[in-house]
Amino acid sequence: MHSTDRYEVEGHEVLEVEVKPTGNGAHICVPKAWTGATVKVVRVTDPNDEDE
């Protein structure tokens, strides 16, 4: 069983997407309407855990 931290974040919208590999890193896509906004990214699963 993995330990999970709990965070409380105030915001306007929540978007759940899968991170995709790109070059030497990875990225996510968000709506174009979010351009110029500040966002926070929280990893909610372990990428190496095949049970999820």
Side-chain angles (χ1 to χ4, degrees):
M1 181 163 185
H2 297 353
S3 173
T4 302
D5 292 331
R6 183 174 178 88
Y7 300 93
E8 184 172 325
V9 179
E10 290 187 27
H12 298 274
E13 296 177 73
V14 174
L15 179 66
E16 187 170 325
V17 296
E18 183 179 340
V19 179
K20 307 286 183 167
T22 181
N24 291 330
H27 74 271
I28 60 170
C29 290
V30 298
K32 193 172 187 176
W34 291 16
T35 301
T38 300
V39 300
K40 296 181 180 190
V41 178
V42 177
R43 183 172 54 86
V44 296
T45 63
D46 185 344
N48 299 317
D49 190 351
E50 294 182 15
D51 291 339
E52 296 184 36

